[in-house]
Amino acid sequence: MNHFMCYLKLFGVLLLRIPEIRDYVVNKLNYILNPRSIAVVGASRSPSKIGHQVVRNLLDSGYKGKIFPVNPKADEILGLKCYPTVSAIPDDVDLVIIAVPAPLVKNAVIDCANKKVNGMAIITAGFSEVGNKEEEDEIVKIAREHEIPIIGPNIVGLLNSTYRMNASFAQDLPYSGKIALISQSGALIIGLIGWTWLYKVGLSKVISIGNKADVDFSELIVYLTEHDPETNTIAIYMEGTDAGPELVEACKRAAGKKPIIILKSGFSKRGELATMSHTGSLAGSARIYKAAFMQSYVIQAEDLFDLYDKALALSLQPPAMSDNILVITNGGGAGVLATDAAEKYGIPLSDTPPDLAEKMKNYMPPFGSTKNPIDLTGQANEEWYYGSIVEAVKHSEVSGVIVIYCHTAITDPAKIATKIAEASKIAREYKKPIVACFIGGKEVEDAADWLKEQGVPTYPVPSRTVRAMAALREYGKIIERANLRKKKP
Ligand code: COA
């Protein structure tokens, strides 16, 4: 797509298109993402089929709502009574998961419309991503006429860890937390759910959006920021959108309420082609997307690690409200790496305030350094970590602390982690963020995992740790900009 078209799609400037964020969609997303009852159309008798797996996942995940398998050829699936159609279900239905082949989807949608369900999520592939736009449009038209939102088609499903609802064919619910993940790629979702357990990145909801033929990012963003108390951070994997003005509008509405981090792919020549055949989206120019994101208070991610690293920090810690970040380390080399990264990611370190430097001497040997980074030296114990962090967060000229621990034979990472967690509680009282870097082997990794569970985002290398703190600073600036905007007459 040429850059001019991309600009139009994103900003809609010349068309003077007024962004349309549909209220009925936002309202019904509450039923779709927290459904009291779910019907599965295409609930197969065969365990190897997707429709069967969705019913199994609902049961295995501990979903407490009602489950209605729909299959005209079966009486019972996994011990549940089966219905020939959705309209034959005697109860109200909030969400319908559709997993029948593409030629059967339209009739299923008409059936759902007759039943007046609250929403549909269409797993089925074979629509606009393979050129079958006409049928996709017909389905959307029916749904819109009846004001029943559709998520998808071409998705893996929907997951809600608070509700213990796995309405998808992903293997498991994610590790539970406050981040809502929206992804245009279903396969990535499945992989990233595995990562949540590996890296202790807690998700509240996972929304596979696929071709986004009806519900787009914008309506999900508005719902998640304004109506979902289980979510405090939104992480998005995006290939492209045709609804640029709506996206910009939704992100502006969210500004300062909940952080939004977007990883946008498809910026290379071949990546653009791959995007088109994956979800039928137009990838567009990097420059134009980046400008749109900047304008709409979005924090951008460079890769999948970055998306999760930033989301983890933003979901667990308050924003940094000035650039004055202090680094406390027990290793000089790690401190230098952090210093370089701080410059690279836009939060260059400044000197420790003199009165704080004086106090820091209580937590280090005479050969330690009170400059920023503060080097407690290799003999730093847990009390020194605790004391120095607490002094730092109490100081009015410090807005956040990066704590680095390099493993030594004379220190116990579990004890260090315990005292950092205690100090982080005091930091929270002062509304100052703490992020940590734990460098070492298995026992260090275990301590880092525990620390994350206590609410301190912890990473294995200084660069990722600093980048996470830079995201907390970026969000602090977004809050300031959003507040200024509100004050403007
Ligand atoms: N209503 C409900 N169920 C119906 C039906 C109807 N009108 N007509 C048929 N069914 C039943 C079938 O009989 C079958 O059950 P059975 O196995 O007990 O006989 C079940 O629905 C599934 O139908 P089937 O024809 O076997 O389809 P399938 O399971 O092989 O494939 C999809 C269906 C949706 C999985 C497939 O078309 C598809 O799109 N796969 C790709 C999904 C994907 O990758 N999505 C994106 C992820 S990122």
Side-chain angles (χ1 to χ4, degrees), residues 42 44-45 49 70-73 99-101 104 123-125 154-155 186:
S44 168
R45 292 160 291 183
K49 291 195 178 171
V70 176
N71 182 340
K73 297 180 194 147
V100 283
L104 304 182
I123 288 180
T124 311
N154 190 21
I155 63 168

Side-chain angles (χ1 to χ4, degrees), residues 40-52 69-74 77 83-86 98-105 107-108 111 122-127 129 153-157 169 184-188 190 208 210 278:
V40 182
V41 175
S44 168
R45 292 160 291 183
S46 161
S48 63
K49 291 195 178 171
I50 286 178
H52 182 96
V70 176
N71 182 340
K73 297 180 194 147
I77 306 269
Y83 296 87
T85 58
V86 173
I98 298 182
V100 283
L104 304 182
V105 170
N107 276 344
D111 186 29
I122 304 179
I123 288 180
T124 311
F127 291 96
E129 82 282 6
N154 190 21
I155 63 168
V156 78
F169 65 95
Q184 239 171 308
S185 161
L188 257 185
I190 301 179
S208 176
H278 182 210

Side-chain angles (χ1 to χ4, degrees), residues 408-469:
T408 76
I410 57 162
T411 46
D412 176 351
K415 285 187 182 159
I416 302 274
T418 305
K419 292 309 264 185
I420 293 175
E422 275 179 37
S424 78
K425 288 188 186 133
I426 297 179
R428 205 167 279 279
E429 287 169 25
Y430 287 83
K431 296 192 172 71
K432 296 190 183 167
I434 291 197
V435 295
C437 173
F438 267 45
I439 307 173
K442 182 76 183 98
E443 60 180 323
V444 173
E445 189 182 62
D446 290 346
D449 281 350
W450 179 86
L451 199 47
K452 280 186 239 180
E453 283 164 6
Q454 309 312 304
V456 180
T458 307
Y459 308 91
V461 288
S463 55
R464 285 173 55 188
T465 317
V466 172
R467 203 161 58 162
M469 179 58 91

Side-chain angles (χ1 to χ4, degrees), residues 143-444:
R144 286 187 176 169
E145 275 165 11
H146 292 81
E147 299 203 340
I148 304 173
I150 288 180
I151 312 256
N154 190 21
I155 63 168
V156 78
L158 305 170
L159 300 96
N160 178 333
S161 59
T162 322
Y163 249 60
R164 302 211 55 76
M165 175 195 92
N166 181 357
S168 79
F169 65 95
Q171 76 287 13
D172 208 352
L173 279 175
Y175 180 76
S176 178
K178 292 276 188 187
I179 304 163
L181 174 68
I182 308 172
S183 171
Q184 239 171 308
S185 161
L188 257 185
I189 278 186
I190 301 179
L192 289 176
I193 286 173
W195 273 17
T196 67
W197 291 98
L198 205 54
Y199 303 125
K200 302 282 178 292
V201 177
L203 306 186
S204 55
K205 293 183 174 64
V206 180
I207 303 157
S208 176
I209 191 169
N211 296 3
K212 50 187 179 40
D214 181 35
V215 177
D216 209 312
F217 294 107
S218 55
E219 282 144 344
L220 285 165
I221 288 170
V222 169
Y223 169 74
L224 292 167
T225 43
E226 296 179 11
H227 304 285
D228 182 15
E230 309 300 340
T231 295
N232 68 6
T233 302
I234 299 167
I236 297 177
Y237 167 74
M238 176 188 290
E239 296 188 350
T241 180
D242 289 346
E246 284 76 11
L247 178 67
V248 169
E249 172 70 12
C251 291
K252 282 183 175 172
R253 255 170 88 167
K257 292 185 189 132
K258 293 179 189 176
I260 299 170
I261 312 123
I262 298 184
L263 170 59
K264 167 78 179 72
S265 67
F267 285 144
S268 65
K269 272 265 167 286
R270 285 194 74 81
E272 195 167 340
L273 292 175
T275 298
M276 182 52 99
S277 59
H278 182 210
T279 51
S281 298
L282 296 164
S285 134
R287 236 170 349 131
I288 290 167
Y289 266 96
K290 284 185 176 162
F293 290 155
M294 205 100 85
Q295 189 199 318
S296 41
Y297 309 89
V298 166
I299 295 170
Q300 298 176 55
E302 292 170 34
D303 54 38
L304 289 173
F305 266 141
D306 195 26
L307 181 70
Y308 262 21
D309 286 351
K310 286 175 173 164
L312 180 72
L314 287 155
S315 70
L316 296 179
Q317 289 290 313
M321 295 315 290
S322 87
D323 284 343
N324 300 330
I325 306 297
L326 211 68
V327 175
I328 297 176
T329 178
N330 69 341
V336 176
L337 285 169
T339 308
D340 287 347
E343 213 162 288
K344 180 174 173 187
Y345 294 119
I347 46 166
L349 303 184
S350 40
D351 288 343
T352 312
D355 56 328
L356 180 61
E358 210 41 47
K359 285 183 183 155
M360 287 297 181
K361 288 183 182 160
N362 295 325
Y363 309 104
M364 61 179 64
F367 46 88
S369 172
T370 61
K371 294 204 179 78
N372 194 8
I374 290 177
D375 188 354
L376 307 180
T377 78
Q379 65 193 68
N381 59 36
E382 59 272 17
E383 298 303 336
W384 288 357
Y385 269 103
Y386 177 83
S388 56
I389 297 168
V390 171
E391 294 289 5
V393 296
K394 282 183 176 171
H395 198 281
S396 61
E397 284 169 47
V398 173
S399 61
V401 180
I402 294 169
V403 189
I404 301 174
Y405 170 71
C406 299
H407 193 40
T408 76
I410 57 162
T411 46
D412 176 351
K415 285 187 182 159
I416 302 274
T418 305
K419 292 309 264 185
I420 293 175
E422 275 179 37
S424 78
K425 288 188 186 133
I426 297 179
R428 205 167 279 279
E429 287 169 25
Y430 287 83
K431 296 192 172 71
K432 296 190 183 167
I434 291 197
V435 295
C437 173
F438 267 45
I439 307 173
K442 182 76 183 98
E443 60 180 323
V444 173

